Amino acid sequence: MKPLLCITSQAAPLLRENIDTDIIIPSREMRTVSKTGLSDGLFAGWRYIEGRTPNPDFVLNQPQFRAAEILIVGSNFGCGSSREHAVWALAEYGFRVIVAPSFSPIFHANCIRNGVAPVILPESDIKGLAAHADAGEAIRVSLEDMAISAAGESWSFSLEDEPRMMLMEGLDAIELTLKHQGDIAAFRQSDAMVRPWVYLSGRRACP
Amino acid sequence: MTLAVERHGTALHEARTLAGKIWDQHVIRPLGGHIDLLAIDRILLHERTGGVALKSLDEAGRRVAAPAQVFATMDHIVDTFPGRTDDTLMPTGRAFLEATRDGARRHGITLFDLNDPGQGIVHVISPEQAIVLPGLSLVCPDSHTCTQGAFGALAWGIGSTEAEHALATMAVRVARPLDMRITIDGVLSTGIGAKDVALHIIRHLGSGGAKGHIIEFTGSAVRKMDMEARMTLCNMATELAAFSAIIAPDDTSFDYLAGRAYAPRGALWDDALALWRTLATDESATFAAEHRFDAGDVVPMITWGTSPQQAIPIDTRVPAITALGPDDSRTAYDNAIAYMGVTPGSDLTTLAIDAAFIGSCTNSRISDLRRAAALLKGRRVAVGVKAICVPGSTQVKRAAEAEGLDRIFIDAGFEWREAGCSMCFFAGGESFGARQRVVSSTNRNFESRQGPGTRTHIASPETVAASAVAGHIADPRLLEILP
């Protein structure tokens, strides 16, 4: 994963609440058993009109937001299914930071696992930030300082230590956890004494 | 037994919540902040995301750490038409089925394939086979995994990458959620079920109302619920943005699980039972949030908008903008009104419907089918209404057929399908169509959830059945059960 310390970019405002994973990437756009090839389907229902013509009213089709790496959205972003394709599509499209008043929890975790920073700002700050974005001003997001700034204004945010470290260092969580393999094995061994029914033999029982 | 060590400043002797106890028992080590390395007892996969997770694991040269504790099923993309094959209405569905099948075989994971008698929706088959048990930690790349918390397990939905992590390590790195208690006391009126209770709660707390929390459902009304009703209640916790939901296990849970395929047997069952009986919240334990509801206040509920919180008692009117619930903004309200084609202040029961759907991990179990069939018996679906019933599992389907429910559905004009998630969502194949109005026993009424432009009203199976017969949204209390 690409480390993310700090970026400065245009930001695309899409201030609707409860944007669910099916809006982010409709299921019909998930054609292959893969984490890639999804960016064309990002927001497909809103982004295209008949016959896949770009909808000129949709924010991502407006020239000043084409290169945006920051997406500003309404509350409860990424709600609905656990579909990670939503984050894969956003990341492949080029978004590295999503700013929202709140995220759906699974979506939030999916962002961290894929190098996309989910940044939480209060609703009122989001509106201020979106105004800068609308004006085409570049926005700076720093995970080092946990701060967003635009045109002299600045807002701080918080992020738990581990997700922040994972994003900043581009770490693979499996790699990190495998360092604790000894602890995991010890846990399983002692737990099997207490709860042997947890540890199945692998023989298929008759349904 | 050694339960937990001292952590987060909470000494062992301090009163703990049910979820807290199970959490503590699974902590392999704290990782700093509020994040723990938590042991995972069961991993469930389905073909929509499971195939990707297994493929990606292969690409990284990793193996599934404990394949005997991992189960996969075909539910999301597989067709539900009789005589189905690997070819699906979703144009590339076959690739997902094959990838999951190949991955399961390569990694030695138990797979409930298309023609397996154990096949079905992941959250229906896992309890059915006692793959979920009280006190277990269970994850699945599916947001409705909280359904299985009904058995007193810590069960929650994760993404595919996190599933890969769990498969490779039998552990996850996860922040400890807060505890919320929702107490539902009192007695439910006849014909009012767990789905109505869930929509009632979501309406009051809002779709973000339990964010970051594990909800413990308790109270006399919950204790009286059978396991299937409890699963429906826990299932909808994700529509409150909860981390998960849990209900303390009791004799109802133990009786349900006893003798099922993966339940412990003999002396092991007795040992398990002794431990499971300790799984309850200590009397003086505290919760970060508490809510109380009276079961007597719950009436048949139905959604008017595009979020589960936009629900109303069926005998009331679509709210005006001045009567918005929590988290609803003017734009969200206007969008929902326009999308759903409803009028503020209007009576939903005057709206004609195009389709009725009974199925999904929320309401597709045998008791759901029985309740709907009781209203459909001796009646016909209104002319022009497309009605579909999709049992949640092959076992549910067979049980229903053994007691003749299939005849009742078919005679009433319903399609009787094979088990699967089916049209709970639009998987790129079958859809109800743009601007079609559907009453559905499913869990989500999001824009285009059941197909581009489809208008979904979620409700109980009884309300779906009554509406199918009436041809418009209908209050099931007004329909007598025929002899």
Side-chain angles (χ1 to χ4, degrees):
Chain A
M1 251 167 13
K2 213 159 91 184
L4 176 66
L5 295 167
C6 180
I7 63 163
T8 302
S9 153
Q10 310 300 125
L14 183 56
L15 295 187
R16 276 181 69 162
E17 291 138 68
N18 298 317
I19 296 179
D20 65 86
T21 50
D22 197 63
I23 290 176
I24 301 172
I25 177 94
S27 51
R28 63 184 177 278
E29 302 291 339
M30 294 156 45
R31 297 191 185 91
T32 63
V33 193
S34 167
K35 297 180 176 182
T36 56
L38 296 161
S39 60
D40 271 357
L42 181 69
F43 294 118
W46 291 349
R47 197 167 142 201
Y48 306 113
I49 41 183
E50 301 299 313
R52 219 133 174 119
T53 310
N55 171 8
D57 294 333
F58 185 60
V59 60
L60 299 189
N61 294 327
Q62 292 160 10
Q64 69 270 37
F65 300 122
R66 290 243 166 94
E69 292 177 73
I70 303 166
L71 183 66
I72 308 172
V73 292
S75 61
N76 203 24
F77 187 71
C79 63
S81 69
S82 62
R83 183 185 301 180
E84 196 163 312
H85 304 69
V87 180
W88 296 332
L90 285 161
E92 189 176 281
Y93 185 88
F95 287 115
R96 303 227 60 201
V97 175
I98 301 168
V99 189
S102 62
F103 291 91
S104 148
I106 302 177
F107 181 85
H108 188 274
N110 285 342
C111 283
I112 310 284
R113 300 285 180 275
N114 290 282
V116 175
V119 170
I120 297 172
L121 279 192
E123 194 110 40
S124 50
D125 294 348
I126 296 259
K127 289 203 173 113
L129 185 67
H132 290 292
D134 274 327
E137 289 158 16
I139 288 168
R140 179 177 186 271
V141 180
S142 164
L143 287 192
E144 286 172 291
D145 308 336
M146 288 200 274
I148 302 187
S149 47
E153 252 191 295
S154 174
W155 302 268
S156 61
F157 61 87
S158 65
L159 196 59
E160 295 246 19
D161 290 346
E162 184 175 277
R164 184 162 158 250
M165 179 192 75
M166 286 176 62
L167 288 168
M168 287 174 59
E169 296 179 24
L171 290 176
D172 170 2
I174 299 180
E175 212 59 67
L176 277 182
T177 296
L178 287 175
K179 289 183 185 153
H180 302 299
Q181 217 159 10
D183 291 339
I184 297 172
F187 177 93
R188 288 172 64 83
Q189 206 167 19
S190 68
D191 186 48
M193 310 289 283
V194 183
R195 305 185 306 148
W197 56 86
V198 170
Y199 302 87
L200 300 170
S201 67
R203 203 180 55 247
R204 168 80 190 272
C206 292
Chain B
M1 54 176 281
T2 47
L3 255 178
V5 287
E6 191 170 310
R7 51 185 316 285
H8 297 319
T10 309
L12 186 59
H13 60 268
E14 275 181 29
R16 287 179 301 164
T17 63
L18 166 61
K21 286 181 189 181
I22 304 175
W23 190 281
D24 285 343
Q25 190 175 17
H26 286 83
V27 174
I28 297 166
R29 61 177 296 159
L31 296 171
H34 290 107
I35 295 176
D36 288 319
L37 184 62
L38 209 70
I40 297 301
D41 299 327
R42 299 278 185 272
I43 302 167
L44 306 179
L45 301 173
H46 57 76
E47 84 281 23
R48 185 175 175 125
T49 51
V52 189
L54 292 169
K55 196 175 140 219
S56 174
L57 208 62
D58 283 326
E59 283 163 6
R62 294 185 171 120
R63 297 292 302 166
V64 174
Q69 284 158 253
V70 185
F71 298 83
T73 188
M74 306 290 200
D75 59 4
H76 274 67
I77 290 171
V78 64
D79 278 355
T80 53
F81 298 106
R84 63 185 170 187
T85 64
D86 281 358
D87 288 318
T88 64
L89 276 182
M90 177 180 162
T92 57
R94 171 185 276 272
F96 288 81
L97 269 63
E98 286 175 350
T100 305
R101 188 177 295 134
D102 294 348
R105 193 181 300 129
R106 257 193 332 273
H107 290 276
I109 292 167
T110 303
L111 170 69
F112 302 107
D113 209 339
L114 237 59
N115 298 313
D116 192 298
Q119 179 271 342
I121 303 176
V122 63
H123 312 304
V124 178
I125 66 168
S126 168
E128 216 166 58
Q129 307 211 34
I131 292 168
V132 65
L133 295 169
L136 296 195
S137 62
L138 180 155
V139 292
C140 171
D142 186 279
S143 65
H144 288 101
T145 308
C146 49
T147 310
Q148 303 190 39
F151 289 86
L154 270 183
W156 71 100
I158 55 175
S160 303
T161 305
E162 215 167 342
E164 267 176 63
H165 183 286
L167 289 164
T169 65
M170 287 313 280
V172 294
R173 309 168 81 89
V174 59
R176 190 177 185 129
L178 299 168
D179 288 297
M180 173 185 285
R181 179 159 57 193
I182 296 183
T183 307
I184 310 156
D185 282 323
V187 181
L188 286 169
S189 308
T190 313
I192 311 297
K195 180 65 157 295
D196 298 309
V197 176
L199 289 171
H200 176 83
I201 293 172
I202 298 166
R203 175 186 187 226
H204 284 280
L205 302 185
S207 58
K211 195 172 137 33
H213 292 75
I214 296 182
I215 302 169
E216 180 174 349
F217 287 110
T218 184
S220 57
V222 176
R223 294 261 71 86
K224 258 182 249 131
M225 286 180 182
D226 63 23
M227 284 318 302
E228 301 197 347
R230 292 182 192 184
M231 284 189 255
T232 300
L233 186 60
C234 289
N235 173 278
M236 295 294 287
T238 191
E239 313 310 332
L240 285 159
F243 174 86
S244 187
I246 195 164
I247 294 173
D250 58 10
D251 285 332
T252 303
S253 343
F254 309 142
D255 291 348
Y256 179 98
L257 294 168
R260 291 185 185 256
Y262 291 94
R265 291 173 198 280
L268 214 52
W269 171 263
D270 297 335
D271 290 350
L273 204 57
L275 190 140
W276 296 344
R277 288 198 189 280
T278 69
L279 295 176
T281 289
D282 295 328
E283 213 164 299
S284 52
T286 54
F287 288 80
E290 289 252 23
H291 299 284
R292 287 186 167 276
F293 293 91
D294 186 339
D297 294 341
V298 184
V299 299
M301 298 290 291
I302 187 152
T303 57
W304 61 266
T306 53
S307 153
Q309 75 180 5
Q310 291 168 329
I312 50 172
I314 198 160
D315 54 5
T316 63
R317 293 175 179 261
V318 175
I321 182 72
T322 49
L324 287 185
D327 303 340
D328 259 341
S329 71
R330 178 69 204 233
T331 346
Y333 174 87
D334 289 345
N335 287 337
I337 290 282
Y339 181 88
M340 292 300 290
V342 297
T343 318
S346 69
D347 179 353
L348 281 182
T349 63
T350 61
L351 285 181
I353 62 165
D354 302 292
F357 182 82
I358 293 175
S360 86
C361 59
T362 313
N363 280 127
S364 66
R365 297 180 179 80
I366 190 74
S367 58
D368 299 316
L369 271 42
R370 281 182 191 137
R371 291 198 311 278
L375 292 176
L376 292 171
K377 195 175 176 194
R379 295 196 163 93
R380 288 281 305 167
V381 166
V383 175
V385 172
K386 180 185 176 78
I388 300 172
C389 178
V390 186
S393 73
T394 301
Q395 281 195 35
V396 168
K397 179 169 188 264
R398 289 188 179 169
E401 287 168 352
E403 54 189 83
L405 300 184
D406 59 324
R407 285 311 333 162
I408 296 176
F409 279 103
I410 292 164
D411 291 348
F414 266 78
E415 290 179 36
W416 180 249
R417 297 276 188 95
E418 297 292 337
C421 299
S422 190
M423 294 164 84
C424 172
F425 54 86
F426 174 59
E430 206 179 2
S431 146
F432 287 107
R435 285 176 295 283
Q436 298 291 289
R437 192 172 299 286
V438 186
V439 186
S440 181
S441 79
T442 55
N443 39 57
R444 286 182 180 147
N445 52 338
F446 299 158
E447 278 186 24
S448 303
R449 168 79 175 171
Q450 292 188 296
T454 297
R455 295 161 166 166
T456 301
H457 298 269
I458 53 175
S460 71
E462 290 94 321
T463 300
V464 178
S467 304
V469 167
H472 56 80
I473 291 173
D475 187 336
R477 293 173 299 186
L478 305 177
L479 207 60
E480 274 173 70
I481 289 182
L482 301 176

